[in-house]
Amino acid sequence: MSRFWSPIVHSLIPYVAGEQPAISDIVKLNTNENPYGPSPHALEAISRAVNDTLRLYPDPTAQGLRAAIAASHGLDKSEIFIGNGSDEVLAHTFQALLNHEEPLLFPDITYSFYPTYCRLYGISFREVPLDAEMRVRVDDYRQPCGAIILPNPNAPTGIGLPLSEIEALVREHPDQVVVIDEAYVDFGGDSAIPLVRKYPNLLVVQTFSKSRGLAGLRVGFAVGQRPLIEALERVKDSFNSYPIDRLTLAGAIAAWEDRDWFERQRALVIASRERLAVGLKELGFNVLPSSANFVFARHPDRPGADLAAELRNRRILVRRFAAPRISDFLRITIGTDAECDRLLAVLGEILG
Ligand code: PMP
């Protein structure tokens, strides 16, 4: 605590990101990165962009990248907003669209950055409990609120909602913004982007960090009708005019356009996920049905904290959250099949 702090700083509870270890000979399954990395075309485009033009500021409005994303959805580039990771897109969304008199609704078990943003921006919120199967029940959101935000698939459970339920939620709240955070949607979920034209209250957020293998580049985007996007632009241009640098713009466009790479590696991740889920069940784990690039699993006989610590001792990193109802679960990122096999072998040893 410091007497130099602005008053709000005393009440912040910052988000705690998963560990990025300095050591390299570790099986890293803790932060939902993509084991196959970015498209080689993205790397080439970034290399080509390393030149004298770096003395110039980048395009503050990211026109090229917005056009590429818009074109593949039959939208206009003015309906796309780009940010420095979807975390930045979400931060601007909370400030620009989710701060109302009535509370913002989101699940009690979800992306733990949401309550952090609420505290940063002074947004009142109400957490809506997941049901006994750890599912989001759209019916439970039928209550007075200022806005709604949900990841689909949810994190850290990995459970996805069908598009029909997302549409019902959006349709039933015509006077509230409904944000669908689709960080993991490319691994088996149904994207709500096709609904954007129909619903002025829907904002869909996606990222290049997972299915494009570019967590290190920091690119995310939102898709929505003009009034929502304009709100994000107003906040962004009151904060940082140039959040996306020249190398990132070049790499992200090339990554977006390499459809083959995208399809191939996400199919590999999905296949490894199904294999890993079977292996974990054989070891006695309860594994939630995942549509993401991770699984959420608990062993009935062993506390999650013990398992995570024993894995760490054997140089395997997974994520665990010390929150009620989920403290015995491990969130395990889908690695290569070799990494998943190593995890299963080590868990076999630990469980005896
Ligand atoms: N939304 C969800 C649900 C996430 O799990 C993450 C990853 N931590 C993000 C958004 C943010 O990802 P990024 O900032 O890398 O785009």
Side-chain angles (χ1 to χ4, degrees):
M1 301 269 261
S2 167
R3 65 195 170 89
F4 300 118
W5 289 3
S6 302
I8 187 180
V9 176
H10 296 276
S11 63
L12 296 180
I13 305 175
Y15 174 74
V16 182
E19 182 182 352
Q20 294 295 342
I23 29 176
S24 57
D25 66 329
I26 201 153
V27 177
K28 189 174 179 307
L29 304 176
N30 67 329
T31 50
N32 298 342
E33 290 137 336
N34 188 312
Y36 303 107
S39 152
H41 294 314
L43 300 180
E44 286 157 23
I46 293 167
S47 299
R48 279 197 304 276
V50 178
N51 60 45
D52 177 62
T53 60
L54 283 176
R55 73 193 172 76
L56 303 173
Y57 284 107
D59 172 5
T61 56
Q63 295 292 329
L65 180 55
R66 292 165 75 190
I69 295 170
S72 40
H73 293 295
L75 294 169
D76 189 82
K77 64 182 189 310
S78 65
E79 295 165 305
I80 312 290
F81 176 84
I82 309 285
N84 188 267
S86 58
D87 279 339
E88 189 184 77
V89 176
L90 290 168
H92 290 339
T93 300
F94 273 72
Q95 192 173 27
L97 297 168
L98 305 184
N99 194 353
H100 300 283
E101 203 153 303
E102 299 265 28
L104 171 67
L105 303 182
F106 50 79
D108 64 338
I109 296 168
T110 194
Y111 187 29
S112 55
F113 227 134
Y114 298 165
T116 292
Y117 291 134
C118 287
R119 282 183 283 263
L120 177 62
Y121 296 122
I123 301 170
S124 70
F125 63 98
R126 185 180 302 138
E127 295 174 323
V128 181
L130 298 185
D131 72 8
E133 266 98 56
M134 309 277 262
R135 291 177 182 275
V136 169
R137 284 176 28 135
V138 165
D139 287 353
D140 296 342
Y141 290 75
R142 289 206 182 99
Q143 53 173 300
C145 62
I148 296 172
I149 182 165
L150 282 185
N152 191 38
N154 195 12
T157 62
I159 299 176
L161 279 180
L163 195 54
S164 55
E165 294 193 32
I166 297 288
E167 181 164 13
L169 189 70
V170 176
R171 193 177 48 232
E172 286 164 15
H173 293 88
D175 298 323
Q176 284 84 24
V177 173
V178 177
V179 180
I180 307 299
D181 175 356
E182 296 188 346
Y184 302 103
V185 78
D186 294 324
F187 301 105
D190 284 331
S191 176
I193 290 179
L195 301 179
V196 158
R197 270 283 153 85
K198 196 165 161 195
Y199 296 100
N201 59 327
L202 171 63
L203 190 80
V204 180
V205 178
Q206 292 194 358
T207 179
F208 281 62
S209 297
K210 319 292 178 183
S211 57
R212 313 263 163 193
L214 281 168
L217 207 60
R218 312 304 300 127
V219 198
F221 61 94
V223 184
Q225 292 189 14
R226 263 315 284 166
L228 301 189
I229 299 299
E230 189 188 337
L232 297 176
E233 289 168 354
R234 290 175 72 116
V235 166
K236 174 233 166 214
D237 289 322
S238 306
F239 178 79
N240 179 1
S241 308
Y242 305 107
I244 317 296
D245 61 75
R246 286 176 170 270
L247 307 186
T248 300
L249 288 172
I253 292 170
W256 187 262
E257 287 175 347
D258 192 348
R259 194 80 210 171
D260 286 350
W261 181 268
F262 169 75
E263 293 295 350
R264 239 179 306 139
Q265 53 76 23
R266 75 173 172 150
L268 288 173
V269 170
I270 291 168
S272 301
R273 177 184 72 212
E274 299 315 305
R275 229 174 128 257
L276 178 64
V278 170
L280 288 169
K281 285 175 191 164
E282 282 169 5
L283 289 170
F285 280 86
N286 305 326
V287 185
L288 300 188
S290 172
S291 304
N293 69 338
F294 56 84
V295 291
F296 204 48
R298 66 182 283 276
H299 198 282
D301 307 331
R302 294 293 288 270
D306 290 5
L307 284 176
E310 295 215 37
L311 285 170
R312 199 178 196 296
N313 290 340
R314 293 165 170 83
R315 309 185 90 70
I316 298 179
L317 282 189
V318 299
R319 190 97 200 254
R320 190 191 73 94
F321 301 91
R325 279 180 83 189
I326 57 169
S327 62
D328 281 331
F329 278 84
L330 303 179
R331 193 198 64 189
I332 305 168
T333 303
I334 309 305
T336 60
D337 275 342
E339 288 172 322
C340 294
D341 286 346
R342 171 91 192 120
L343 171 79
L344 290 171
V346 169
L347 280 173
E349 284 168 26
I350 293 169
L351 294 164

